[in-house]
Amino acid sequence: MTEEPAKLPRLTLARQIRDSLVASIVSGHFGPGERLVETRLAATYGTSQAPVREALRELEAMRLVETQPRRGTFVRPFVQETLRESYVVRAALEETATRLALLAGTVPVEAMRADVAAMRAAAESGDGEASARASVSFHRRIVEAAHNELLKLTWESLQIEARTAVTMVATEVDLHDIVQDHAELLAAIEDGDLEVACRHARDHQWHYADLPHDAHGRTRDSAAG
């Protein structure tokens, strides 16, 4: 470990410590297998061990760290790679779910509109956790509307809530952008053009994979042009 993260202002301290540690893990500042020592982190952030312990518990729920009995808490291996790969897999699953749900006519449009409205309210209030919950709900509705149990089980195995929370913290995504992205996806679904909606569902997830090319094989720079 090289230089330590900067000290934080006193707001919701455990949450701020968690967010700082997420960014440090995803960026590679804390490497795979590195031990996160409560006393050292408490000294770094200028606080007691209690909020650090709470932050580490949340990181464990996010699958970023693991606690080993009598040894301590360690950064899990392959965090960045697994996060990227999960979005590529999720893109394929949600494209298929969108196709199945549209073909079956089972898309719960009204409920998804309510999710977008919840994202909009969360953006206005700056509530990232509420935005993440509404986003996960939106996508889960599409997956459930596909009525394919194996697809749903595979999707759930990606630990969607945890990885969504990690992505939002690590990328500092604009909450208003989340609203726009989901509103555009819902509009594509409501228009009923099967191929356009499926492509939008795939691209929506692929965007977060942080790969050098998009789902169509174009480099990021050329795709943006």
Side-chain angles (χ1 to χ4, degrees):
M1 186 173 67
T2 55
E3 64 183 282
E4 303 284 0
K7 292 189 178 181
L8 298 169
R10 290 185 63 84
L11 290 173
T12 53
L13 198 52
R15 182 61 43 79
Q16 293 223 356
I17 292 170
R18 182 204 71 177
D19 290 355
S20 176
L21 290 174
V22 166
S24 293
I25 291 170
V26 173
S27 71
H29 178 82
F30 292 125
E34 186 165 346
R35 186 182 177 195
L36 302 181
V37 182
E38 283 185 17
T39 53
R40 189 180 301 160
L41 292 172
T44 297
Y45 292 115
T47 185
S48 68
Q49 288 179 240
V52 171
R53 191 173 301 120
E54 182 181 342
L56 291 177
R57 279 198 297 266
E58 292 196 39
L59 290 184
E60 189 160 27
M62 292 169 138
R63 307 287 292 174
L64 290 181
V65 303
E66 58 182 344
T67 300
Q68 300 177 11
R70 296 181 297 279
R71 291 196 62 211
T73 301
F74 299 84
V75 176
R76 283 182 173 271
F78 310 118
V79 167
Q80 293 168 301
E81 293 86 347
T82 302
L83 191 61
R84 294 187 185 106
E85 290 170 359
S86 73
Y87 278 105
V88 175
V89 174
R90 186 175 169 185
L93 292 173
E94 294 197 20
E95 177 185 2
T96 301
T98 300
R99 185 177 301 277
L100 292 173
L102 278 171
L103 289 172
T106 54
V107 179
V109 171
E110 291 301 324
M112 292 169 70
R113 285 175 181 164
D115 290 329
V116 173
M119 289 179 231
R120 186 170 290 110
E124 292 301 322
S125 62
D127 189 338
E129 289 194 352
S131 178
R133 285 195 301 270
S135 173
V136 171
S137 174
F138 179 99
H139 292 285
R140 180 171 280 116
R141 294 188 199 281
I142 297 174
V143 170
E144 291 178 343
H147 296 299
N148 184 303
E149 193 63 22
L150 183 57
L151 187 153
K152 180 184 175 184
L153 288 172
T154 305
W155 186 85
E156 294 285 3
S157 74
L158 294 176
Q159 301 162 327
I160 302 299
E161 284 89 352
R163 290 204 165 101
T164 298
V166 169
T167 299
M168 292 185 69
V169 171
T171 62
E172 299 181 345
V173 62
D174 188 311
L175 298 184
H176 291 91
D177 288 344
I178 292 176
V179 178
Q180 182 177 344
D181 288 347
H182 287 83
E184 289 175 357
L185 175 54
L186 181 56
I189 291 172
E190 289 191 74
D191 285 345
D193 187 316
L194 183 64
E195 296 306 323
V196 170
C198 289
R199 184 172 66 248
H200 205 123
R202 180 184 65 228
D203 290 352
H204 179 82
Q205 297 302 331
W206 197 281
H207 171 75
Y208 292 101
D210 191 30
L211 296 171
H213 51 80
D214 67 11
H216 311 287
R218 299 173 299 185
T219 62
R220 291 293 186 183
D221 290 342
S222 64

